[in-house]
Amino acid sequence: MKRSIAIALLLSLTFVTLSTDAWAQKKPKIKDTVTFAPTWEAAVEEAKLLNVPIVLHSHGFY
């Protein structure tokens, strides 16, 4: 019984140490790769200039 408690304590301390090191690392800075049109009219004008379709996606329709 005492041995299993000691093993569990050792494993939990190891996990806490490893997870703290992972959080200490800096997060990578994400570069903006896509620019979005500020208005629908600007998106339509840009799509016409580039001769490409407009892709529209919306979340939340149930």
Side-chain angles (χ1 to χ4, degrees), residues 27-59:
K27 293 182 181 180
K29 189 172 184 180
I30 298 173
K31 296 179 183 177
D32 291 335
T33 55
V34 177
T35 55
F36 296 100
T39 63
W40 177 254
E41 290 79 20
V44 171
E45 184 178 337
E46 182 180 358
K48 286 180 181 178
L49 282 171
L50 297 175
N51 196 24
V52 294
I54 293 178
V55 177
L56 179 66
H57 183 79
S58 181
H59 295 273

Side-chain angles (χ1 to χ4, degrees), residues 1-2 7 9-10 15 17 19 23-24 26 30 37-39 42 46-47 50 52 54 61-62:
M1 179 76 174
K2 289 182 182 181
I7 290 173
L9 181 62
L10 180 63
F15 178 73
T17 304
S19 64
W23 283 107
K26 290 186 179 180
I30 298 173
T39 63
E46 182 180 358
L50 297 175
V52 294
I54 293 178
F61 289 106
Y62 299 131

